[in-house]
């Protein structure tokens, strides 16, 4: 909650909107609701009510997770793939373990 208030304050001050905190909060709320529905329907699951709600929640969670991924990738490309941004790749010899006896 404090992060959302901080984001709203920065949005008003800078007159820009960073959607990522709102997407993350929505993602957490969707996952929380899906866990509650599955816990309530543990003994008597019915596809007519709980099943439809779970399918809709799963779709929303997938869409929000994809939106967070795309948002992060488009706004901060260096954070996602720092080695590609720097134009170098990890050395294949640095990840090998020495072989004894050869």
């Amino acid at each position: 909650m404090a992060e959302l208030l901080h984001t709203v304050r920065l949005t008003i001050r800078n007159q820009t909107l960073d959607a990522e905190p709102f997407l993350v909060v929505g993602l957490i709320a969707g996952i929380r609701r899906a866990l509650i529905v599955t816990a309530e329907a543990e003994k008597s699951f019915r596809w007519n009510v709980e099943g439809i709600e779970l399918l809709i929640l799963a779709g929303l969670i997938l869409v929000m997770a994809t939106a967070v991924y795309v948002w992060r990738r488009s706004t901060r490309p260096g954070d996602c793939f720092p080695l590609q941004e720097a134009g170098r790749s990890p050395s294949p010899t640095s990840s090998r373990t020495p072989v004894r006896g050869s």
Side-chain angles (χ1 to χ4, degrees), residues 11-101:
T11 299
I12 292 171
R13 183 182 299 158
N14 299 338
Q15 296 180 350
T16 61
L17 178 63
D18 185 20
E20 185 180 0
F22 298 102
L23 289 171
V24 170
V25 168
L27 188 62
I28 292 170
I31 292 170
R32 180 181 165 270
R33 182 64 189 156
L35 290 173
I36 289 172
V37 169
T38 55
E40 289 175 349
E42 182 180 358
K43 294 180 182 174
S44 63
F45 181 77
R46 295 184 316 260
W47 271 105
N48 57 2
V49 178
E50 290 98 358
I52 293 172
E53 185 175 1
L54 281 175
L55 287 174
I56 291 171
L57 284 170
L60 286 173
I61 290 168
L62 183 65
V63 166
M64 284 188 284
T66 304
V68 168
Y69 175 76
V70 169
W71 182 267
R72 285 186 179 177
R73 188 115 191 244
S74 67
T75 58
R76 296 183 294 240
D79 290 348
C80 294
F81 304 103
L83 293 176
Q84 288 179 354
E85 186 69 24
R88 57 189 166 145
S89 62
S91 172
T93 58
S94 64
S95 62
R96 291 186 188 166
T97 57
V99 179
R100 293 185 177 191

Side-chain angles (χ1 to χ4, degrees), residues 1-10:
M1 186 63 127
E3 184 176 335
L4 282 177
L5 292 175
H6 177 69
T7 302
V8 169
R9 186 173 47 130
L10 287 177

